[in-house]
Amino acid sequence: MLSAYMDLIRIRFLMMLAYRVNYYSGIVIYAINIGAYYFFWNAIYMDEEVIRGFTLAQMTTYVAVSWMARAFYFNNLDREISNEIRDGSVAIQFIRPYVYLVVKMMQGFGEGLFRLLLFMVPGLVVVSLIFPIEFPSEPRTWLLYALMLLLSFLINSQINILTGLCAFFIENIEGMMRMKRVLVDLFSGVVIPIALFPGWLAAIVQWLPFQAIAYLPSSVFTGRTTGDAALQALMVQGIWFVVLIIPIWLLWRAARHRLFVQGG
């Protein structure tokens, strides 16, 4: 069964190769986006050396890494699940000898692996040639960030799966998916680092899983979070990964007893 799941990763990776030109153009789009943020923060800092613990160099690196990492952990598993429920094909998935949610996770990972190798890594190289980005000098930081990036993918995928499973109970989750995307981008720290949030909002966000997607890994990468604090950030990610399994299991259990097909 494990080999079958590995094949799903390979198949999705090969499928994404058919659209690789779109991702090459995406590198240019992301570079322009990062450039806009760079000049924006450059204007804000002016004569300030540090703002809320971020130097300008750290902020530039944070923005570049956060947006490029988004290319890896981003996926449309919620839309895929919703479409399969709407067209009735999910009923066929139920009778096949595998776990449907694990299949979706493996497919998402295959897509993420493609984005990592052909979008995120070359994108970082291109951006580093244009903007003053500081890469970690210690191999330990790179290894820790790689592990945290994997957990970012898992947690984001869990949130997408939760959203997609709501299609079993709601006929149209288009609005929910859009709201989820805005919440993830905003409260994960991609748009604005959580350290710059108002105190009351930052306190609320700390109790939500979104920070574990972008803010914590990027803070480690930039060197803002080091030592024991970096390990604690990794632990927070691990806790959220385990916690999110519970609502997924409960929702999946309820969904299997309530299949409402709108076609097929």
Side-chain angles (χ1 to χ4, degrees):
M1 183 59 68
L2 180 60
S3 61
Y5 289 137
M6 294 299 103
D7 283 339
L8 290 171
I9 297 176
R10 180 180 61 83
I11 292 171
R12 179 57 68 93
F13 185 94
L14 294 176
M15 287 177 59
M16 298 303 297
L17 282 175
Y19 306 99
R20 57 185 178 274
V21 175
N22 291 340
Y23 291 96
Y24 296 154
S25 61
I27 293 175
V28 177
I29 295 173
Y30 266 50
I32 294 174
N33 191 32
I34 292 170
Y37 273 96
Y38 169 72
F39 292 113
F40 170 77
W41 286 111
N42 199 35
I44 289 179
Y45 270 79
M46 293 296 286
D47 297 327
E48 297 289 337
E49 294 185 0
V50 179
I51 296 180
R52 296 288 182 90
F54 280 96
T55 63
L56 179 58
Q58 286 179 324
M59 183 63 74
T60 303
T61 304
Y62 176 92
V63 169
V65 171
S66 295
W67 278 100
M68 285 303 173
R70 184 180 184 275
F72 168 65
Y73 66 70
F74 176 86
N75 57 59
N76 288 307
L77 292 183
D78 47 358
R79 189 174 299 278
E80 291 182 19
I81 294 173
S82 175
N83 290 339
E84 290 176 359
I85 293 172
R86 288 174 63 87
D87 63 22
S89 60
V90 70
I92 304 300
Q93 305 287 345
F94 280 0
I95 63 176
R96 290 179 176 172
Y98 52 57
V99 180
Y100 175 68
L101 297 185
V102 176
V103 168
K104 303 313 295 182
M105 186 71 80
M106 293 299 101
Q107 290 175 339
F109 185 70
E111 179 178 344
L113 190 60
F114 173 87
R115 291 169 176 266
L116 174 68
L117 298 177
L118 297 180
F119 193 142
M120 179 181 173
V121 172
L124 273 177
V125 173
V126 171
V127 171
S128 66
L129 296 175
I130 303 174
F131 305 106
I133 297 176
E134 297 180 348
F135 291 105
S137 58
E138 297 183 5
R140 178 176 177 272
T141 303
W142 283 99
L143 291 174
L144 183 59
Y145 177 73
L147 180 57
M148 296 184 75
L149 188 61
L150 176 60
L151 285 169
S152 295
F153 162 79
L154 293 174
I155 293 171
N156 184 68
S157 297
Q158 286 176 311
I159 293 174
N160 285 345
I161 288 174
L162 273 172
T163 305
L165 289 178
C166 290
F168 278 103
F169 309 93
I170 305 174
E171 293 186 6
N172 190 335
I173 63 169
E174 186 67 32
M176 182 179 294
M177 289 189 293
R178 292 180 181 179
M179 180 181 68
K180 180 268 306 177
R181 184 170 299 180
V182 171
L183 290 176
V184 170
D185 284 346
L186 179 60
F187 292 141
S188 67
V190 171
V191 178
I192 301 175
I194 295 176
L196 302 183
F197 283 13
W200 62 271
L201 183 56
I204 294 175
V205 173
Q206 289 179 358
W207 292 95
L208 300 176
F210 305 119
Q211 64 166 339
I213 298 175
Y215 179 70
L216 295 180
S218 296
S219 294
V220 170
F221 188 92
T222 59
R224 187 176 184 275
T225 302
T226 58
D228 292 340
L231 295 178
Q232 289 176 3
L234 177 64
M235 186 180 300
V236 170
Q237 283 188 301
I239 291 173
W240 274 116
F241 171 70
V242 174
V243 168
L244 287 173
I245 292 176
I246 299 174
I248 289 176
W249 179 78
L250 292 175
L251 198 58
W252 175 241
R253 182 179 180 183
R256 296 190 64 178
H257 292 86
R258 186 187 186 281
L259 178 58
F260 180 79
V261 177
Q262 301 183 51

